[in-house]
């Protein structure tokens, strides 16, 4: 079962709660009796895992590409605008 901690209590006893999380517990942070966040143990990921295709799946070369989306503006111009680098 998750433990709960108010924001003020979490701030005052952060090290205590981090030790609990390191030990495998989850802490639900509440503000005015409403859950706002959850502290959970960190899971180390070991890169991308690739699985074998499902039985009967078509080969990648046989999967049709979708139709291109018609665009009335230059794509590079849109990217520069998005990134703020006009």
């Amino acid at each position: 079962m998750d433990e709960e901690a108010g924001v003020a209590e979490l701030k005052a006893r952060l090290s205590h709660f981090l030790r609990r999380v390191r030990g495998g517990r989850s802490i639900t942070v509440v503000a005015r009796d409403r859950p706002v966040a959850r502290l959970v143990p960190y899971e180390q990921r070991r890169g991308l895992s690739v699985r074998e295709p499902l039985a009967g799946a078509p080969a990648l070369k046989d999967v049709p590409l979708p139709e291109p989306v018609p665009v009335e503006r230059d794509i590079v111009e849109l990217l520069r605008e998005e990134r703020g680098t006009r």
Side-chain angles (χ1 to χ4, degrees), residues 16-66:
H16 165 79
F17 288 112
L18 289 178
R19 279 192 300 275
R20 305 285 287 168
V21 171
R22 278 191 207 106
R25 304 295 292 258
S26 294
I27 311 292
T28 300
V29 182
V30 294
R32 296 189 174 100
D33 297 321
R34 297 185 70 194
V36 294
R38 179 172 292 136
L39 298 175
V40 296
Y42 179 76
E43 293 181 19
Q44 186 81 21
R45 294 192 178 184
R46 297 191 179 225
L48 180 66
S49 63
V50 178
R51 64 170 174 77
E52 290 296 318
L54 298 175
L60 188 56
K61 65 180 178 60
D62 297 328
V63 176
L65 293 174

Side-chain angles (χ1 to χ4, degrees), residues 10 29 56 75:
L10 181 66
V29 182
I75 295 297

